[in-house]
Amino acid sequence: MVKNKKYNKGILVRTCKRCKKIIDERSLYDYCPECFRKIEEIFDKIEEYLKEYPGATAFEIEQETGVPYHIINNFVREGRLIEIPNEYLNFECKRCGCLLLSAHHKYCPSCRREIEKELESTKKQLRKSLNHENAKMHIKHGEGRRK
């Protein structure tokens, strides 16, 4: 007997695996339409990340997308994602030295955020120092002067 099938007033009905709402017996999916949409949005997020970084580990996907590891594992169990042995193990962050478990990035997520903040701050300082509103004009003497 399938887990999400129950009897309600003597009639066999199916329930959503996620929220337990009653769904149509003939439904192709084990989820109600709302839950199915949410699950597809999460899967699309993972799929987009894997297009950019093929071969990423479940740990890396969790760190970069915010999708919890157990949800990624559910997609593996359902056959929607395939785990392959990862030969890229034990890479260290070039800044803090923490374990990355990925060959795609040189820095861990927190160091990357810090580096991005530092870059933005430096850009602002450069823009300020290159602001030409306070520049003074002078006549250039020597070559190139018209007579």
Side-chain angles (χ1 to χ4, degrees):
M1 186 165 134
V2 178
K3 285 183 183 179
N4 66 333
K5 289 187 178 184
K6 297 178 183 176
Y7 284 96
N8 185 9
K9 297 180 184 176
I11 301 169
L12 184 64
V13 294
R14 290 177 57 197
T15 57
C16 174
K17 284 173 73 175
R18 187 169 176 267
C19 70
K20 306 302 180 210
K21 286 182 188 173
I22 294 176
I23 57 175
D24 188 351
E25 174 63 32
R26 297 166 295 180
S27 175
L28 296 175
Y29 308 106
D30 291 331
Y31 302 98
C32 69
E34 296 92 31
C35 291
F36 183 75
R37 184 183 45 78
K38 288 176 188 174
I39 291 167
E40 287 305 303
E41 286 173 4
I42 292 169
F43 187 79
D44 290 344
K45 192 178 202 182
I46 294 170
E47 187 177 37
E48 285 301 311
Y49 185 80
L50 286 173
K51 282 180 185 175
E52 190 171 347
Y53 301 104
T57 63
F59 172 76
E60 181 181 1
I61 294 168
E62 178 182 34
Q63 292 294 308
E64 298 298 323
T65 64
V67 175
Y69 182 82
H70 71 277
I71 292 175
I72 297 166
N73 260 353
N74 286 342
F75 287 129
V76 171
R77 271 189 245 115
E78 291 173 1
R80 294 184 75 183
L81 292 175
I82 300 168
E83 273 187 310
I84 54 173
N86 193 345
E87 67 274 9
Y88 305 115
L89 292 178
N90 299 324
F91 279 89
E92 292 181 356
C93 173
K94 287 189 171 191
R95 188 168 188 220
C96 70
C98 74
L99 192 61
L100 291 179
L101 299 176
S102 169
H104 295 296
H105 301 285
K106 304 292 182 210
Y107 302 98
C108 67
S110 60
C111 285
R112 266 186 283 149
R113 281 190 294 275
E114 286 296 317
I115 291 169
E116 287 171 4
K117 284 180 189 175
E118 290 171 9
L119 283 172
E120 283 302 313
S121 173
T122 304
K123 281 182 193 177
K124 286 178 184 176
Q125 288 175 353
L126 278 172
R127 284 187 196 121
K128 255 186 183 176
S129 68
L130 295 176
N131 190 351
H132 295 292
E133 290 177 16
N134 297 328
K136 297 179 181 177
M137 301 298 280
H138 296 278
I139 298 174
K140 182 177 179 182
H141 297 285
E143 295 178 26
R145 185 172 177 205
R146 294 185 183 167
K147 294 186 179 184

